[in-house]
Amino acid sequence: MIVSVHFADLGARSVRGVLRERPRPGDVPGLRQAQTLLTGAVAAGPPKLRPGRAALLAAWEDDAALDGFLAESPLARRLAGGWHVRLQPVRVSGSWRAMPVEAEPRAALDEEGEPVAVLTLGQLRLRRALPFLRANSQAAERAAADPALIASVALARPPRFVGTFSVWRSLSAMRRYAYGSARPEHKEAVEEHRAKPFHHEAAFLRCRPYGSQGTLDGRDPLASAAPTPHPSRRAPRTRP
């Protein structure tokens, strides 16, 4: 099983059209689940929506299923001018019934030799929205300033879905941000959630990004990561 994340700058009117589309497993061969989303910036302060950028988050049986979608789907053609990345889940914490995801048991990441992608997914408890936004703002400010953060995008589908997608230069760097004592904001947000949950349901996915196409904000984030080879990594997929 793999996950793909797609971003495209379409303009606000076209994004509204994309949000009305949702590929369904019964209609797309090999698709497990998909959701079209709004996007924003991961930064301090109130959420900064990017109204002209759409996202698609999807889970697939395998690469062949994603290849078929990219070749044949009208939605894929609408998103083709942006950037998409293929992700191999290596660790899943929590649960996400809307998109069941399985980790590859023998796919451990190299601590220093390859980038790591992280997805956070939450179904927000609306009465906990303000505490969530306050805690998330403090953690996001630290993340945005971290030199090991290669790319980050906030994800949302009102009224309840909130999430983030990020790419880090290495697993060790991501862990220093998430669990290190020098920057405790993320740890404090996690502890507050555990004491009184922000979400009805939440999941954290740690993934190996192993193939991408296109550009995000004028570059391919994986190209700037410059990973070194690792025996357990999937071979990179190169595309024109």
Side-chain angles (χ1 to χ4, degrees), residues 7 13 20 46 49 56 63 68 85 91 97 105 112-113 115 117 122 127 138 155 192 211 222 235:
F7 301 103
R13 182 175 298 178
R20 290 192 290 269
L49 182 67
L56 170 68
D63 284 296
V85 60
R91 182 180 177 185
R97 286 169 291 178
E112 299 288 349
R127 67 181 183 274
Q138 295 169 351
L155 306 171
E192 185 175 353
L222 287 192

Side-chain angles (χ1 to χ4, degrees), residues 146-168:
D146 196 311
L149 182 68
I150 297 169
S152 63
V153 181
L155 306 171
R157 187 167 181 109
R160 294 187 183 276
F161 175 83
V162 291
T164 61
F165 168 78
S166 58
V167 181
W168 297 80

Side-chain angles (χ1 to χ4, degrees), residues 10-211:
L10 306 173
R13 182 175 298 178
S14 294
V15 167
R16 289 195 293 270
V18 167
L19 290 176
R20 290 192 290 269
E21 299 186 44
R22 183 174 180 177
R24 300 188 183 279
D27 300 330
V28 181
L31 176 66
R32 291 193 173 190
Q33 193 54 266
Q35 182 68 71
T36 49
L37 302 164
L38 295 169
T39 69
V42 175
K48 295 177 174 61
L49 182 67
R50 187 159 184 170
R53 175 174 289 177
L56 170 68
L57 171 64
W60 307 89
E61 294 289 344
D62 51 30
D63 284 296
L66 175 53
D67 288 340
F69 170 77
L70 293 173
E72 300 173 10
S73 168
L75 177 58
R77 287 193 288 273
R78 293 181 74 177
L79 300 174
W83 181 75
H84 76 261
V85 60
R86 298 170 188 245
L87 307 174
Q88 178 189 29
V90 298
R91 182 180 177 185
V92 180
S93 301
S95 66
W96 196 252
R97 286 169 291 178
M99 191 178 74
V101 177
E102 302 159 5
E104 174 59 48
R106 296 182 298 276
L109 288 158
D110 187 324
E111 287 278 341
E112 299 288 349
E114 59 180 319
V116 58
V118 175
L119 279 165
T120 66
L121 311 171
Q123 283 289 110
L124 185 63
R125 297 177 186 266
L126 296 182
R127 67 181 183 274
R128 293 283 288 152
L130 289 179
F132 165 75
L133 292 172
R134 183 172 57 248
N136 185 70
S137 173
Q138 295 169 351
E141 181 179 15
R142 283 296 190 181
D146 196 311
L149 182 68
I150 297 169
S152 63
V153 181
L155 306 171
R157 187 167 181 109
R160 294 187 183 276
F161 175 83
V162 291
T164 61
F165 168 78
S166 58
V167 181
W168 297 80
R169 198 165 298 281
S170 68
L171 177 59
S172 63
M174 185 275 291
R175 282 176 168 161
R176 282 194 295 274
Y177 159 73
Y179 310 118
S181 59
R183 295 180 174 181
E185 288 83 359
H186 180 270
K187 289 174 62 177
E188 291 169 356
V190 170
E191 290 166 1
E192 185 175 353
H193 170 69
R194 287 174 177 166
K196 192 174 182 181
F198 300 129
H199 307 297
H200 293 285
E201 186 177 25
F204 171 95
L205 280 66
R206 184 181 299 169
C207 304
R208 169 174 288 113
Y210 66 91

